Amino acid sequence: MPSTETILTGDRPTGPLHLGHYAGSLANRVRLQHEHHQTILIADLQALTDNAGRAADVRRHVRDVVLDYLAVGIDPSVTTIALQSAMPELAELTVLYLNLVTVARLERNPTVKTEIELRGFARDIPAGFLTYPVSQAADITGARATLVPVGDDQVPMIEQTNEIVRRLAHIAGRPVLAECRALLSNTPRLPGIDGRKASKSLGNAIALSASPDEIRDAVRAMFTDPAHLRAADPGRVEGNVVFAHLRAFDPDQPAVAELEAHYRRGGLGDATVKRRLEDILQALLAPIRERREAAARNLASVDEIVRGGTARARVVAAGVLDDVRQAFALERWSAGTLERWSA
Ligand code: TRP
């Protein structure tokens, strides 16, 4: 990894961020923010691509997501936090990039395919939804990002971004933008408490803002091994949600390996492992909850963080847009463009 990279990631503000986000990406962002230039985008336009009927909810969740960032330790003095819908440069980049992808390629994006099935869109896929990987390419290139810390479901977006970057270089006859790479976390995807995919919409994930009671109830409800009826029985750790969380969050991993062996042999009850996990999650989330509450007491300064971050991000995106317009043989955009055109 070069010593200083430009990092961009984003989150859709469709609900509070949860432990899956933390293990998959947020922890990486907190760690990387001091060594690299990092921007985090609140992707509210992307959220609208499958939530146009719930626009007010998306709006409301923008601030929750910012509070989640501050709560986990994103430091706004080193990380730029920007709001996608307040960056018209990204919308224009998206329109230009749409000329560099085919509908067939969009339909092959495996993540979008899965999401379409999950949402039951069938033939009624919003066009904005099918094309959101292109808008995501605008997000990434609009920050001149070289590194994108994401979960593995986002790898197809990085691939499509790089295809767009190469296609743009091809039509311009010279390199225009840099390619980027994904930075995957070491933690495999965290399952939801019911064993299905963790999702904000399924309500099966533990929010970073969960109360102590919610944490307790969620751990108690976690799917384990349905065949493990008595503590003395041998149990399965594969697909066992409690062990997935212990592997992700227990600071003592050798102890987790021993617990897994014990559970497999038999003689270790669900209640015991759940108690251990509950203690770990309470300890992990208590300071996060406190920082969130402290930040929420001064919402004016939270909004100012987003306003200032967006303004900084727009300066970078405007420079990228100039470069991309030139690649398309369009004039550099400035307030005088129209006047010159008609003169
Ligand atoms: N698609 C991402 C998600 O669903 C969110 C996102 C939007 C994003 N823009 C981005 C991620 C840019 C990385 C880079 O989680």
Side-chain angles (χ1 to χ4, degrees), residues 41-57:
L41 194 66
I42 308 158
D44 57 343
L45 291 183
Q46 187 178 114
L48 286 178
T49 64
D50 62 339
N51 287 283
R54 287 186 294 272
D57 293 339

Side-chain angles (χ1 to χ4, degrees), residues 8-12 21 41 43 46 84 115 132 135-136 139-140 148-150 153-154 157-158:
L8 180 110
T9 43
D11 299 283
R12 296 180 197 176
H21 294 109
L41 194 66
Q46 187 178 114
Q84 190 185 32
E115 289 172 330
Y132 89 71
S135 131
Q136 192 157 329
D139 300 343
I140 295 169
V148 188
V150 280
D153 62 315
Q154 295 296 304
M157 311 304 166
I158 311 284

Side-chain angles (χ1 to χ4, degrees), residues 76-268:
S77 70
V78 291
T79 293
T80 297
I81 300 176
L83 182 62
Q84 190 185 32
S85 64
M87 298 183 65
E89 297 79 10
L90 299 183
E92 188 171 346
L93 281 174
T94 303
V95 167
L96 292 169
Y97 292 169
L98 280 170
N99 303 310
L100 306 176
V101 266
T102 65
V103 172
R105 174 65 181 92
L106 289 164
E107 285 173 341
R108 272 200 310 273
N109 182 307
T111 299
V112 176
K113 253 188 178 160
T114 316
E115 289 172 330
I116 286 172
E117 273 164 39
L118 218 64
R119 287 164 180 67
F121 281 150
R123 285 314 300 166
D124 296 320
I125 308 164
F129 190 77
L130 189 65
T131 54
Y132 89 71
V134 179
S135 131
Q136 192 157 329
D139 300 343
I140 295 169
T141 57
R144 298 195 191 280
T146 51
L147 195 63
V148 188
V150 280
D152 54 4
D153 62 315
Q154 295 296 304
V155 170
M157 311 304 166
I158 311 284
E159 283 167 6
Q160 271 200 289
T161 299
N162 287 335
E163 285 172 26
I164 287 171
V165 166
R166 289 194 287 268
R167 188 92 194 105
L168 188 66
H170 180 75
I171 63 160
R174 62 185 162 79
V176 181
L177 300 169
E179 293 190 26
C180 63
R181 3 188 260 298
L183 178 72
L184 298 173
S185 93
N186 300 325
T187 322
R189 167 176 292 283
L190 209 57
I193 55 181
D194 52 3
R196 291 187 292 170
K197 181 176 183 281
S199 124
K200 283 176 268 193
S201 43
L202 289 174
N204 61 354
I206 301 181
L208 294 171
S209 51
S211 70
D213 286 354
E214 287 168 336
I215 297 168
R216 184 203 59 213
D217 292 348
V219 172
R220 290 197 184 158
M222 274 181 185
F223 179 86
T224 57
D225 171 4
H228 183 239
L229 295 175
R230 281 173 302 264
D233 294 340
R236 278 173 62 86
V237 299
E238 295 78 18
N240 186 314
V241 177
V242 180
F243 280 103
H245 281 74
L246 286 174
R247 284 192 298 271
F249 299 112
D250 194 325
D252 187 353
Q253 286 299 312
V256 174
E258 272 169 40
L259 284 173
E260 287 189 339
H262 191 177
Y263 194 84
R264 283 204 176 93
R265 267 197 319 271
L268 182 58

Side-chain angles (χ1 to χ4, degrees), residues 16-27:
L17 300 181
H18 53 66
L19 280 177
H21 294 109
Y22 188 76
S25 165
L26 288 171

